[in-house]
Amino acid sequence: MSTSEVMESAADTRADPDVKGITEGLRGPTDASARGPSSGKSRVRRWDVKIRIIQLLIGVGLLGLWQLCAELQWPDPVLAKSPGEAYNYLTQAASSGELWSNTKATMLAVSIAWVIGSVAGVAAGITLGLLPRLEKVLDPFLDAANAMPRIALAPLLIVAFGINTTAKVALAVTLVFFIVMSGARAGVRSTDSEWMRLSVVLGAKKRHLFMKIFIPVATPAIFAALRLGLIYSLLGVVGSELISAQDGLGQLISSYSATFRMDAVYAILLMLAVIAATLNQLMSVLEQRLLVWQPPADR
């Protein structure tokens, strides 16, 4: 192709609006970087504001739909309670202290179960990841235990420990342990074999391999499992409280469901959803702060 033909092709490309749009899109990051980091940050802030506005509109829309169903008495008059009635219960329960004492009992059990299950799960996962022969021996038993519906253990644990915090913690630990163990084991397994060979050739000792390769590689998977384990710890505790407990938000749901106080049930369910979302966000922020050495796309 001659020089004149190349120039004509370039001119045609600039004239074609579709091609021009594509090239402008490809040039976008370069132009943004040329304008400096402040321009990129302001663009990210504007996008964050748009996301928050969209989320707020979705929340308002869901509340409006809930209010409409309550006014239409759908699906059943017993179940049709408005957001205002749920809010009234929350204010009354908060002023009487019922809400805070039961929330404290639930969150105490969630915290204890998460810590115990996480420590045991990380230790077991890393051990099994480093000892494949032991993992092969125990694998059928771990799979069978993990596949067991853990909520079925709640009556047994209540008989063994009573209707107190210990029974709730025991059930939640069985959920958290297997989730964290699977994450830690998968993280250790994801270690690149080429890194291992190269490190051994360069004279790295076992403790160096463990601290410099295995732990950093497995850390993102462990954090993902810890975040998921926190939510499952909440599910385990509330599930145990629903069956039988002295206190806790699950026990309140069970009591109010038996007396058809659906406004209270809806209010507590919403509160549990807010707690779960808050815990997930806190873990996400902690993960981002501790894993700053990772590329943003891998966090």
Side-chain angles (χ1 to χ4, degrees), residues 22-37:
I22 295 172
T23 55
E24 287 179 349
L26 293 174
R27 258 199 325 266
T30 306
D31 294 343
S33 59
R35 287 193 294 271

Side-chain angles (χ1 to χ4, degrees), residues 12-25:
D12 294 338
T13 300
R14 287 194 298 271
D16 191 337
D18 295 335
V19 177
K20 184 179 179 181
I22 295 172
T23 55
E24 287 179 349

Side-chain angles (χ1 to χ4, degrees), residues 112-268:
I112 296 173
W114 182 69
V115 171
I116 295 175
S118 298
V119 172
V122 169
I126 292 177
T127 302
L128 293 175
L130 295 175
L131 301 174
R133 291 181 180 176
L134 177 63
E135 180 188 16
K136 194 171 183 179
V137 172
L138 298 179
D139 209 30
F141 303 100
L142 293 174
D143 288 342
N146 192 24
M148 184 183 298
R150 249 57 61 77
I151 196 68
L153 296 175
L156 177 64
L157 296 173
I158 290 171
V159 172
F161 299 109
I163 52 174
N164 51 29
T165 304
T166 307
K168 296 186 278 185
V169 169
L171 180 61
V173 165
T174 62
L175 294 173
V176 177
F177 171 78
F178 285 100
I179 292 171
V180 177
M181 183 193 69
S182 300
R185 184 168 54 174
V188 173
R189 280 179 178 172
S190 64
T191 305
D192 193 338
S193 58
E194 293 298 325
W195 292 7
M196 296 296 298
R197 292 193 192 95
L198 182 60
S199 301
V200 172
V201 169
L202 293 175
K205 299 184 182 301
K206 287 185 179 180
R207 68 174 184 277
H208 295 147
L209 295 177
F210 183 77
M211 297 302 297
K212 302 294 185 182
I213 295 181
F214 283 120
I215 294 301
V217 169
T219 298
I222 291 174
F223 264 96
L226 290 176
R227 185 166 55 177
L228 190 60
L230 189 55
I231 303 302
Y232 271 82
S233 179
L234 178 63
L235 294 178
V237 169
V238 173
S240 179
E241 291 173 347
L242 282 170
I243 294 174
S244 184
Q246 291 178 329
D247 48 19
L249 294 176
Q251 182 266 337
L252 285 183
I253 292 176
S254 179
S255 299
Y256 285 124
S257 296
T259 55
F260 298 101
R261 285 284 311 277
M262 303 313 295
D263 54 336
V265 173
Y266 295 155
I268 297 170

